[in-house]
Amino acid sequence: MGRPRWLNAEEKRAWNAFLGTYELLNRRLDQQLKQDSGISHLQYVILARLSGAPDHELRMAELACAVSNSKSGLTYQIGQLERAGLVRRRACESDPRAVYAVLTDEGMALLERAAPGHVALVRELLIDVLAPDQLRALADGLGEANRRMLAVGDPAGESSAGCPE
């Protein structure tokens, strides 16, 4: 394997800034959504992905890829959302192994109520604190890292290869 290439000072600064920002941003978004809408940040992301899909539905495997979650983790979250009446599952007529998650009218209504506060907080905590060139560099850099990780897949067995970008 060879000697490790340790991070230099600038690389370490970038890595620590990313980790700290990610953790704080995710925690704050999760708190705001739970307080205002009774759902977690991950559940919001699931509802948002479904809202943007044709007929407001996605195959569970595709949805797991879209929200970067394991199939079992997604199944748990869909169960929670289903109990709350925000999504329902439907079987695929052409493939008995496939299951779709479908956004309900109640789920869409909750998403529409939650979105303004969520977007306002995303703007406050991240978007509006960056200059346009910083925002562009962030999107470009993280987009490239995401593309490479999707191309390689997950060594833990929950393959990301083949997930839509």
Side-chain angles (χ1 to χ4, degrees), residues 23-89:
E23 302 269 337
L24 287 170
L25 182 63
N26 196 46
R27 184 178 321 132
R28 292 281 303 276
L29 292 172
D30 201 56
Q31 290 169 343
Q32 178 266 326
L33 285 162
K34 284 179 181 173
Q35 179 182 334
D36 293 355
S37 305
I39 59 172
S40 69
H41 186 219
L42 176 56
Q43 290 169 338
Y44 177 90
V45 171
I46 291 168
L47 296 177
R49 289 291 181 154
L50 289 172
S51 77
D55 298 323
H56 297 170
E57 66 179 27
L58 285 171
R59 203 171 170 153
M60 292 282 283
E62 185 180 351
L63 183 56
C65 285
V67 300
S68 300
N69 203 325
S70 68
K71 291 176 189 172
S72 62
L74 179 70
T75 298
Y76 173 79
Q77 292 299 327
I78 292 296
Q80 299 286 76
L81 293 168
E82 196 172 30
R83 280 189 280 292
L86 305 174
V87 300
R88 65 178 175 81
R89 294 178 222 220

Side-chain angles (χ1 to χ4, degrees), residues 2 5 7 13 21 24-25 33 39 42-43 52 58 97 102-104 117 128-129 139 163:
R5 285 184 51 219
L7 301 180
R13 186 175 82 84
T21 301
L24 287 170
L25 182 63
L33 285 162
I39 59 172
L42 176 56
Q43 290 169 338
L58 285 171
R97 297 169 297 158
V102 183
L103 185 65
T104 64
D128 291 346
V129 301
C163 287

Side-chain angles (χ1 to χ4, degrees), residues 119-160:
V119 171
L121 190 57
V122 168
R123 281 199 160 286
E124 176 189 334
L125 298 177
L126 184 66
I127 303 300
D128 291 346
V129 301
L130 298 174
D133 61 324
Q134 292 172 315
L135 190 60
R136 196 170 19 265
L138 178 68
D140 290 346
L142 293 178
E144 179 59 19
N146 187 43
R147 187 193 66 71
R148 287 187 187 194
M149 285 185 276
L150 287 171
V152 170
D154 183 354
E158 291 286 344
S159 178
S160 298

